[in-house]
Amino acid sequence: MTEDERAADFYAFFERHHAELSRLAYLLTGEADAADDLAADAMVALWHRWDRARRADSAAAYARGIVANLARSRIRSTVRERRRVLLFWSHRPERTDGPDIAAVMDVRAALDTLPFRKRACVVLRHAFDLSEKDTAAALGISVGTVKSQTSKGTAELQRLLGARAADELVGRGSR
């Protein structure tokens, strides 16, 4: 394959999958701006490994795995940054406000409560409609782990969203 053919092949892949990878990054991180950056970074990494990715069973699954790893790193980095900020401001007295029930009804907020692996399994299985096998390949875990993490994550989301929906109804009734 010539360099021009290789570039054309990658460009076609980019056109088909960039939006999907950006959407995956958004669903994993909850940050729209970061999602585009992560998808772009994944594409750069994929370009550097394009010959290997093309030979994989699925270049798209290979790319999803890169996005998942980049998202995991970003989340970890964000958590560390937030801890540093909390430490910096910890000398101030704590103040807590009541929860905004309407805001926490959002599925995004419920997804954010899930640990990364559960969130990734639920997102890939339900939002991207991937098979258990494709999800396992994207995340580098076993099919059994995908099954258990998806089941547990879905149950947690149902419990969270169901309880919050009930609280919202009670809150409206008492206003």
Side-chain angles (χ1 to χ4, degrees):
M1 179 176 272
T2 69
E3 189 62 26
D4 287 342
E5 291 171 330
R6 182 178 184 266
D9 189 37
F10 179 79
Y11 181 76
F13 178 87
F14 179 93
E15 288 294 314
R16 279 192 315 273
H17 296 285
H18 181 265
E20 171 192 340
L21 295 175
S22 182
R23 185 170 147 233
L24 171 61
Y26 172 72
L27 289 170
L28 293 176
T29 64
E31 302 173 30
D33 293 336
D36 289 334
D37 291 344
L38 289 174
D41 290 347
M43 285 296 190
V44 169
L46 191 63
W47 170 249
H48 291 294
R49 302 179 195 128
W50 184 239
D51 292 331
R52 186 179 342 161
R54 276 186 352 174
R55 288 189 304 269
D57 290 339
S58 169
Y62 194 93
R64 286 185 206 108
I66 293 172
V67 169
N69 287 332
L70 290 171
R72 181 182 302 114
S73 294
R74 179 168 180 82
I75 290 167
R76 287 178 178 163
S77 175
T78 301
V79 167
R80 283 191 302 272
E81 182 179 333
R82 287 179 183 162
R83 284 183 185 149
R84 285 191 297 269
V85 168
L86 275 172
L87 271 171
F88 179 76
W89 291 105
S90 64
H91 68 279
R92 298 182 136 209
E94 288 187 33
R95 184 180 136 217
T96 59
D97 296 330
D100 181 359
I101 301 298
V104 295
M105 287 295 297
D106 186 325
V107 172
R108 174 76 251 155
L111 274 173
D112 285 343
T113 66
L114 296 179
F116 179 81
R117 185 178 285 178
K118 284 182 189 173
R119 182 182 334 147
C121 287
V122 169
V123 166
L124 288 170
R125 290 284 292 129
H126 297 293
F128 282 81
D129 201 28
L130 292 185
S131 68
E132 291 163 342
K133 181 181 174 187
D134 290 342
T135 301
L139 297 175
I141 58 178
S142 72
V143 171
T145 301
V146 169
K147 289 178 181 181
S148 68
Q149 293 294 292
T150 302
S151 176
K152 290 175 184 176
T154 302
E156 285 181 40
L157 288 174
Q158 288 172 341
R159 181 182 54 77
L160 287 169
L161 293 172
R164 289 177 180 157
D167 288 344
E168 174 66 13
L169 290 174
V170 169
R172 283 188 183 161
S174 63
R175 287 184 193 159

